[in-house]
Amino acid sequence: MNRIAAVVGLLAVCLNPSCDAFRTNLSHEVEDYLARYADRMQELYYEAQKAEWESNTHIVEGDTTNAARTRRANEALAAFVGSVENIERIRGFLDKRGRLTPLQVRQLEAMLYTAANAPGVVPELVSERIAAKTEQVEQLYGFEYKLNGQPITPNEIDARLRQSDDLAERLAVWRASKEVGPVLKPGLVELRRLRNETVRALGYSDFFAYQVSEYGMSSDEMLALTDRLIEQLRPLYRELHTWARYTLAERYGQPVPDMLPAHWLPNRWGQDWTALVRVEGLDLDAALADRSSQWIVEQGEEFYTSLGFEPLPGSFWELSSLYPLPPDAGYKKNTHASAWHMDLDDDVRSLMSVEPNAYWWETTLHELGHIYYYISYSRPEVPLVLREGANRAYHEGIGSLIGLASMQRGFLIGQELADPAAEVDEIRQLLQEALNYAVFIPFSAGVMTRFEHALYAEDLPPDSLNAKWWQLVRDYQGVAPPTPRGEEHADPLTKTHINDDPAQYYDYALANALLFQLHDHIAREILEQDPHDTNYWGSRETGDFLRALMEPGASRPWREVLRETTGRELDARAMVEYFQPLYDWLLEQNAGRTPTLR
Ligand code: X8Z
Ligand code: ZN
């Protein structure tokens, strides 16, 4: 058959929608479109990420060049991914989804989801939102915290809250940590409006619903899930709360309070109480004190390579920003840890301020979890637009899982970070873990999730941000401000995610539940070790399990991945079971004490 005949032949059959050639023709058209979209998107995305990277790692007061570049690059990306032309084509193809492959449909759906965050039908809103976000990041990370008139870094604030036994000092440091709130308030109120209005243009009810929809869930479904986690952990949390009230009252020589005063807790938001206890023979802060920050990151990498992952690419080491800036740097950087997939391929970087202590040890492993997730799914089989986690909680869960594994005794002994001859009080160790993982749930699934839901879905008035926040903190965490905090403060906005990672904090709550499910599976089925005392180091089989989970990225439905990797629904049962021995111990400790938490 000559060429013309072939074309005519094809055209003739293509008039019949049920035949294979018709399907194939559409499929080719979609494939071609997807390939062109991916190429252009990757180019624009990389430019935007590079500009964002500069904006987050090199913040100079009064300098507008970074902001201008970031705005331009983000606008170019938004103009493409949210263009009316792209939205119409994607919708047009999705109307014929029955004739497309599941992988094509997944890509188109991911693209439509991205478009809804920057829809070309409301270009002014998109531009305003980009500018407002860039400005907010500069305000947040360019802020100079001060204690008694002297500059103090977030790392120093955190260290003092972990270590100081002096209540007056604790109060001063806690207050200093909240000073940034009011600076951020006008920007956040504006961002709330812009975030809501942009996604409404493509039919979402509000920005919270938009973010949740990435899980294929409604807001109500997500709130039911987070409520369930809180409920499952409530008995344990109630006992931890009672234990902390009595223990801290004694430590500080104060009467036992009904609600824990926020400045008594070893974290700015009371989200992590790990530092309340030291475990004799397992004191990671002490073990790390004489190591370098670089050693921490290298050792983290070695943990992953021991599981069969490749060493990190040279560009990771050259281009990341891993350590705190010297005080005389002349510029500031984002001090909150993050991992970046710059080009959706092999340019992976992390932004951290690592110091040799237990917090940064765990955080480094968390960030490297993101990095190895990026690397695992950056392969030709995974289309660019599906280079994401099975869902966002999976992405958060992997590194946290490795973080949990890295704090267990068998592992620490193997790494010469704990003395094999030392007697370790196992209940105390379990207590320390609960002060990390269980304590986090009321904050993440409760306070943060409910606050952001109120903010975006319920139109929370700007003059009740603080009242709402402290009401939630009281109800979920059983924590109270040291003194009344009126609306001249804006305490929720001191939490970085509210500004630059909005309406997604339930990811971490789900990740915590998920990581106990994964850990339980790995400990029992792969390592055949007690989940309370594992050593993942060197287990290729564990690495294979994790890689198999990560390699498909978002190209498979997450519920399917969940069933295969844990065999059960997402809930907190594995976490509750893990802490059962501690729960029994706490009941004994708290006998005769009055609980105040509902
Ligand atoms: O933000 C983080 C990571 C970056 S993805 C360091 N985390 C949450 C937080 O710090 O509030 C990890 C646990 C919770
Ligand atoms: Zn993370």
Side-chain angles (χ1 to χ4, degrees):
M1 210 191 297
N2 67 36
R3 235 182 109 245
I4 304 267
V7 170
V8 172
L10 194 61
L11 282 177
V13 273
C14 281
L15 295 174
N16 174 1
S18 65
C19 82
D20 276 355
F22 186 80
R23 193 189 300 263
T24 311
N25 205 23
L26 175 69
S27 194
H28 282 151
E29 192 187 335
V30 172
E31 246 1 81
D32 184 53
Y33 170 67
L34 290 174
R36 276 184 294 115
Y37 176 99
D39 273 356
R40 183 73 183 130
M41 187 275 278
Q42 185 177 32
E43 215 174 294
L44 294 165
Y45 185 81
Y46 200 12
E47 282 311 309
Q49 286 287 96
K50 284 188 283 192
E52 284 281 0
W53 179 261
E54 283 303 309
S55 279
N56 278 272
T57 54
H58 208 267
I59 304 169
V60 184
E61 208 183 340
D63 177 51
T64 55
T65 36
N66 270 348
R69 174 184 169 198
T70 300
R71 200 159 71 213
R72 268 198 314 275
N74 275 324
E75 278 182 5
L77 174 64
F80 177 73
V81 297
S83 77
V84 174
E85 189 197 334
N86 271 325
I87 292 174
E88 281 175 358
R89 288 209 73 183
I90 295 167
R91 281 183 168 160
F93 287 136
L94 281 173
D95 282 344
K96 301 174 204 147
R97 61 174 66 222
R99 287 160 43 204
L100 304 177
T101 67
L103 193 62
Q104 288 172 334
V105 172
R106 285 188 82 73
Q107 290 174 76
L108 291 165
E109 282 175 343
M111 287 152 62
L112 195 57
Y113 177 76
T114 303
N117 212 13
V121 278
V122 286
E124 313 77 30
L125 281 180
V126 172
S127 299
E128 263 187 85
R129 182 175 148 191
I130 288 168
K133 158 91 186 283
T134 308
E135 168 71 14
Q136 193 76 349
V137 166
E138 279 185 10
Q139 294 280 351
L140 172 61
Y141 300 110
F143 186 78
E144 178 129 289
Y145 293 91
K146 290 212 164 107
L147 181 67
N148 305 323
Q150 293 304 308
I152 181 169
T153 66
N155 264 352
E156 286 163 349
I157 288 176
D158 294 343
R160 289 213 202 188
L161 289 178
R162 284 196 298 265
Q163 290 157 12
S164 173
D165 275 341
D166 174 349
L167 267 193
E169 183 193 21
R170 300 190 62 85
L171 181 58
V173 172
W174 186 87
R175 287 202 169 124
S177 79
K178 304 296 171 196
E179 292 290 308
V180 67
V183 176
L184 298 167
K185 186 162 166 177
L188 197 271
V189 170
E190 189 60 2
L191 273 168
R192 181 257 299 263
R193 176 181 72 82
L194 294 165
R195 285 168 179 158
N196 270 342
E197 287 182 4
T198 40
V199 300
R200 277 174 190 154
L202 277 207
Y204 289 91
S205 59
D206 60 83
F207 188 72
F208 188 91
Y210 169 73
Q211 288 293 347
V212 167
S213 76
E214 202 175 357
Y215 285 84
M217 292 165 81
S218 69
S219 295
D220 283 347
E221 286 167 340
M222 181 56 81
L223 293 176
L225 178 55
T226 48
D227 280 353
R228 174 88 187 114
L229 300 184
I230 294 166
E231 186 189 307
Q232 286 181 300
L233 280 159
R234 202 58 170 176
L236 174 61
Y237 186 67
R238 187 178 297 115
E239 297 308 319
L240 289 166
H241 183 258
T242 304
W243 172 86
R245 284 166 47 232
Y246 282 79
T247 305
L248 292 178
E250 197 184 320
R251 183 178 298 178
Y252 299 134
Q254 298 289 318
V256 179
D258 283 352
M259 293 287 128
L260 280 161
H263 66 299
W264 286 21
L265 297 169
N267 170 280
R268 281 181 262 172
W269 306 279
Q271 70 183 66
D272 174 5
W273 304 355
T274 312
L276 286 189
V277 295
R278 268 187 200 290
V279 185
E280 220 43 63
L282 264 195
D283 188 345
L284 197 55
D285 274 322
L288 294 173
D290 59 355
R291 313 278 181 155
S292 69
S293 300
Q294 193 175 332
W295 184 89
I296 305 263
V297 189
E298 285 168 359
Q299 196 66 12
E301 178 193 29
E302 263 194 49
F303 189 1
Y304 284 91
T305 55
S306 89
L307 303 176
F309 290 92
E310 294 291 316
L312 293 166
S315 60
F316 172 87
W317 295 104
E318 283 151 32
L319 300 172
S320 287
S321 171
L322 300 172
Y323 311 111
L325 292 172
D328 59 356
Y331 60 94
K332 289 199 157 34
K333 70 180 220 182
N334 176 340
T335 47
H336 191 80
S338 52
W340 299 53
H341 199 187
M342 302 290 297
D343 60 348
L344 298 173
D345 195 10
D346 54 9
D347 186 348
V348 291
R349 306 181 194 176
S350 179
L351 170 48
M352 294 195 275
S353 294
V354 179
E355 290 183 338
N357 59 42
Y359 168 77
W360 279 109
W361 169 260
E362 196 189 341
T363 300
T364 296
L365 289 164
H366 176 96
E367 297 312 327
L368 292 185
H370 287 304
I371 298 287
Y372 276 108
Y373 214 142
Y374 298 149
I375 292 172
S376 299
Y377 55 56
S378 292
R379 9 177 234 125
E381 295 82 351
V382 181
L384 234 72
V385 297
L386 297 177
R387 294 189 181 176
E388 307 264 0
N391 63 32
R392 296 196 311 254
Y394 265 88
H395 227 299
E396 296 303 339
I398 296 298
S400 289
L401 166 69
I402 298 299
L404 170 93
S406 79
M407 306 290 256
Q408 291 199 333
R409 186 155 179 257
F411 174 85
L412 291 173
I413 289 173
Q415 296 313 298
E416 296 178 5
L417 289 167
D419 176 1
E423 285 246 338
V424 172
D425 179 341
E426 283 166 18
I427 284 291
R428 203 162 170 79
Q429 190 202 343
L430 206 52
L431 172 63
Q432 195 181 47
E433 288 175 328
L435 294 174
N436 180 351
Y437 298 97
V439 158
F440 184 65
I441 295 296
F443 176 73
S444 52
V447 177
M448 285 291 285
T449 297
R450 289 285 169 175
F451 179 80
E452 293 201 295
H453 184 260
L455 185 67
Y456 293 104
E458 296 167 3
D459 235 1
L460 182 63
D463 64 2
S464 49
L465 294 190
N466 231 35
K468 179 74 183 179
W469 175 257
W470 285 107
Q471 188 57 50
L472 294 168
V473 170
R474 194 175 284 274
D475 292 348
Y476 286 102
Q477 294 179 283
V479 170
T483 49
R485 304 277 295 176
E487 297 302 325
E488 68 280 18
H489 301 289
D491 298 323
L493 312 196
T494 65
K495 187 68 198 153
T496 60
H497 300 70
I498 291 191
N499 302 284
D500 63 3
D501 198 15
Q504 298 167 54
Y505 208 82
Y506 41 83
D507 294 354
Y508 298 107
L510 272 44
N512 257 19
L514 176 64
L515 84 87
F516 276 89
Q517 294 183 305
L518 294 173
H519 176 69
D520 197 69
H521 174 85
I522 291 170
R524 292 179 205 275
E525 310 293 328
I526 299 180
L527 300 172
E528 298 181 6
Q529 293 170 1
D530 174 357
H532 299 99
D533 187 13
T534 60
N535 187 358
Y536 285 29
W537 185 277
S539 167
R540 296 292 163 123
E541 221 184 313
T542 301
D544 290 345
F545 170 75
L546 293 176
R547 262 190 310 281
L549 186 168
M550 296 194 287
E551 274 176 353
S555 56
R556 301 186 48 215
W558 68 265
R559 289 176 202 279
E560 225 174 88
V561 177
L562 180 72
R563 224 171 298 121
E564 279 168 23
T565 50
T566 71
R568 38 165 128 167
E569 292 299 297
L570 183 56
D571 69 10
R573 227 173 63 208
M575 195 184 332
V576 170
E577 279 166 20
Y578 184 90
F579 289 119
Q580 189 60 45
L582 173 72
Y583 181 66
D584 298 337
W585 178 85
L586 284 167
L587 285 180
E588 280 170 30
Q589 298 296 305
N590 290 336
R593 294 173 173 172
T594 324
T596 49
L597 208 62
R598 276 183 293 127

